[in-house]
């Protein structure tokens, strides 16, 4: 029987269309070169699909097709469906920066592609996808015809896959800053010297919400990165929007984004500072605080420490926000789920001694779909709080 044979009873996850096969589920591995695509079979020999395999990784297999569908056919279909979903709901005149392929969320494990106007930025997380990259780029190139394709695979997780970190131009002309529009607002995205692939596309829905609740508010955009929340808030009618971030280059780009949007220089102050310290400064006068910190829990073992960080920052925000104020608080740690995050905010509210109501809940924007069969794709959550 050709392919990888799973242990009896260890085929349930794959039958449920989960993408990962852990080494403990495998009974027999044939001779193969790491990164190869192999058929996956139950202990009884039934074909369950195809996966890329890598002995070096604890996730030894990553399913790219299920059942009898040929792997190339499945990849083609997944790319086409991912592109079709975005085409259907994004008008490029209004929003031309979005996630085109969300890895397992679009049935393409370990492969991310973000489109910034006509520049495609890809991120490859596994050796299997590295080997399939030429095929995927061909499909994507034909579908969106980008001016350039740039790779931002500066992921520590690649080490376990035996892949070095990699950044560089894959196709087309050299790229630097790209001008995009999101919800009709222009932004500079630096796809080369930036965080993630350039822009926190996943927060689009939260930014829209910030715009709706902004009128008449004095806003503090904490962990501002390149100032996107500030621009939305000011365009929505905020009185002012100050930005704090630890990264000097992010703050510099935030200032350029103010200019690009025609906002006056007195619309907000910019601080290169640690938010934990900034929120302890005397004399803060804000009635809308936005907290969008980086993932405090990158691994499961970080959760306790991460919750301490989330509680501190939320307690500080809830203490400092003015009466009848708003706090928009987010967490992008997969391992801190909705329920746990709300508990942490509940404790922070108690310690701050404020009356707090949840007005809205949010999650990652729809171009970061969550695969119902692979819930690990869910990571971002946010609460909009009203503080009496
Ligand atoms: N809200 C942003 C994305 C924020 S990402 C947007 O919509 O675009 C998180 C940001 O937090 C990063 O820019 C990072 O530089 C910053 N950061 C991380 N730790 C910090 C700290 N302790 N104090 C201030 N900024 C911090």
């Amino acid at each position: 029987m050709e392919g990888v044979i799973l242990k009896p009873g260890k085929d349930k996850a794959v039958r449920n269309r989960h993408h990962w096969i852990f080494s403990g589920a495998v009974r027999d591995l044939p001779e193969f070169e790491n990164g190869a695509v192999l058929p996956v079979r139950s202990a009884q020999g039934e074909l369950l699909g195809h996966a890329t395999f890598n002995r070096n990784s604890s996730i030894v297999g990553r399913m790219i097709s299920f059942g009898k569908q040929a792997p190339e056919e499945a990849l083609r279909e997944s790319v086409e469906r991912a592109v079709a979903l975005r085409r259907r709901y994004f008008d490029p005149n209004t929003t031309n920066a979005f996630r085109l392929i969300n890895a397992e969320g679009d049935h393409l494990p370990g492969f991310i592609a973000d489109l910034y106007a006509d520049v495609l930025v890809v991120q490859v997380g596994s050796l299997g996808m590295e080997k399939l990259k030429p095929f995927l780029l061909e499909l994507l190139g034909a579908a969106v015809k980008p001016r350039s394709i740039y790779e931002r695979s500066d992921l520590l997780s690649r080490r376990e896959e035996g892949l070095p970190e990699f950044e560089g131009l894959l196709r087309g002309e050299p790229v630097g800053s790209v001008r995009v529009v999101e919800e009709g607002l222009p932004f500079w995205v630096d796809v080369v010297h930036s965080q993630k692939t350039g822009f926190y596309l996943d927060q689009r829905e939260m930014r829209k919400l910030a715009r709706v609740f902004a009128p008449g508010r004095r806003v503090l955009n904490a962990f501002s990165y390149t100032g996107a929340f500030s621009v939305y808030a000011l365009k929505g009618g905020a009185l002012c929007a100050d930005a704090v971030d630890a990264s000097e280059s992010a703050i510099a780009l935030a200032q350029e984004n103010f200019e690009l949007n025609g906002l006056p220089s007195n619309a907000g102050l910019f601080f290169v500072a640690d938010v934990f310290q900034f929120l302890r400064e005397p004399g803060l006068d804000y009635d809308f605080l936005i907290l969008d910190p980086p993932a405090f829990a990158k691994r499961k073992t970080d959760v306790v420490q991460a919750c301490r960080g989330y509680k501190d920052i939320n307690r500080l925000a809830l203490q400092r926000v003015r009466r009848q104020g708003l706090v928009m608080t987010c967490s992008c740690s997969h391992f801190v789920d909705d329920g746990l995050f709300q508990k942490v905010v509940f404790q922070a509210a108690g310690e701050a001694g404020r009356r707090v109501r949840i007005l809205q809940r949010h999650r990652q924007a729809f171009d970061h779909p969550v695969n119902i069969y692979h819930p690990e794709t869910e990571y971002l959550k946010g609460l909009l709080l009203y503080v009496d």
Side-chain angles (χ1 to χ4, degrees):
M1 218 160 29
E2 161 217 12
V4 173
I5 317 292
L6 301 183
K7 287 179 185 162
K10 293 283 186 183
D11 53 5
K12 203 165 156 231
V14 170
R15 285 188 192 280
N16 281 336
R17 304 181 78 87
H18 194 274
H19 283 277
W20 297 345
I21 302 173
F22 291 94
S23 46
V26 174
R27 193 185 78 189
D28 302 320
L29 272 179
E31 283 290 307
F32 71 100
E33 194 183 312
N34 278 336
V37 176
L38 300 171
V40 177
R41 295 181 186 279
S42 70
Q44 293 74 37
E46 185 190 344
L47 180 64
L48 303 175
H50 285 78
T52 62
F53 279 87
N54 185 350
R55 278 186 206 84
N56 294 334
S57 177
S58 53
I59 303 174
V60 68
R62 293 169 197 265
M63 299 297 291
I64 53 172
S65 64
F66 293 95
K68 293 194 173 67
Q69 191 177 28
E72 296 76 25
E73 188 44 42
L75 292 174
R76 185 185 302 278
E77 187 182 88
S78 297
V79 169
E80 279 170 6
R81 290 190 180 187
V83 172
L85 173 67
R86 279 71 176 181
R87 283 241 165 90
R88 181 159 198 158
Y89 292 110
F90 284 116
D91 171 359
N93 295 313
T94 313
T95 299
N96 66 4
F98 46 83
R99 178 150 292 187
L100 202 53
I101 308 278
N102 188 38
E104 285 83 353
D106 284 302
H107 314 291
L108 292 160
F111 189 82
I112 283 171
D114 290 341
L115 190 65
Y116 294 108
D118 52 2
V119 173
L120 190 68
V121 182
V122 298
Q123 200 166 62
V124 181
S126 72
L127 181 62
M129 279 309 189
E130 179 62 31
K131 295 207 168 184
L132 292 167
K133 191 168 77 181
F135 180 61
L136 292 169
L137 292 187
E138 195 184 307
L139 294 173
L140 282 168
V144 296
K145 301 190 177 52
R147 164 166 64 96
S148 307
I149 304 182
Y150 195 82
E151 181 163 349
R152 281 295 302 269
S153 295
D154 43 349
L155 300 167
L156 277 175
S157 55
R158 279 167 62 104
R159 225 178 262 169
E160 202 188 339
E161 291 281 325
L163 285 168
E165 291 184 31
F166 174 78
E167 282 182 43
L169 186 70
L170 299 179
R171 288 191 194 173
E173 52 192 82
V175 285
S177 281
V178 185
R179 187 182 180 281
V180 302
V181 279
E182 186 185 79
E183 285 287 304
L185 302 171
F187 291 98
W188 288 117
V189 176
D190 183 347
V191 298
V192 181
H193 310 283
S194 61
Q195 300 175 24
K196 284 222 203 180
T197 63
F199 203 65
Y200 286 81
L201 300 165
D202 51 358
Q203 281 287 31
R204 190 182 311 105
E205 297 299 321
M206 293 291 277
R207 288 193 280 268
K208 284 159 72 174
L209 191 62
R211 179 167 61 186
V212 171
F213 281 85
R217 296 286 183 182
R218 302 178 62 81
V219 177
L220 177 68
N221 181 6
F223 305 97
S224 67
Y225 188 50
T226 53
F229 270 104
S230 304
V231 171
Y232 272 74
L234 288 164
K235 291 289 178 182
L239 300 177
C240 64
D242 295 351
V244 195
D245 199 281
S247 158
E248 208 170 313
S249 56
I251 287 290
L253 201 50
Q255 285 169 305
E256 287 185 40
N257 280 328
F258 266 46
E259 262 172 54
L260 184 63
N261 280 280
L263 295 167
S265 57
N266 64 357
L269 300 171
F270 296 89
F271 301 94
V272 178
D274 180 288
V275 170
F276 287 83
Q277 279 168 15
F278 188 89
L279 288 178
R280 291 184 162 92
E281 296 285 324
L284 299 187
D285 182 29
Y286 301 107
D287 59 4
F288 189 175
L289 268 62
I290 296 164
L291 293 181
D292 184 21
F296 290 155
K298 296 210 164 61
R299 289 169 302 230
K300 211 171 181 172
T301 48
D302 297 339
V303 166
V304 172
Q305 186 65 22
C307 287
R308 225 168 275 152
Y310 286 123
K311 195 175 81 177
D312 278 354
I313 207 91
N314 281 284
R315 186 193 58 245
L316 285 165
L318 292 168
Q319 279 168 343
R320 303 308 302 273
V321 70
R322 295 188 57 154
R323 286 178 177 282
Q324 281 85 54
L326 296 162
V327 173
M328 181 180 272
T329 180
C330 311
S331 160
C332 57
S333 303
H334 162 72
F335 294 107
V336 177
D337 65 15
D338 289 359
L340 181 55
F341 185 56
Q342 187 169 325
K343 244 178 243 161
V344 169
V345 175
F346 149 78
Q347 285 172 350
E351 288 180 19
R354 301 291 295 267
R355 260 180 71 157
V356 175
R357 285 174 279 171
I358 298 173
L359 301 190
Q360 284 273 4
R361 289 172 200 279
H362 247 304
R363 51 174 298 278
Q364 63 227 45
F366 80 84
D367 49 331
H368 297 61
V370 176
N371 179 346
I372 195 112
Y373 303 109
H374 192 101
E376 287 83 349
T377 36
E378 179 133 37
Y379 65 100
L380 181 63
K381 56 246 134 218
L383 298 171
L384 178 65
L385 308 172
Y386 194 83
V387 188
D388 286 311

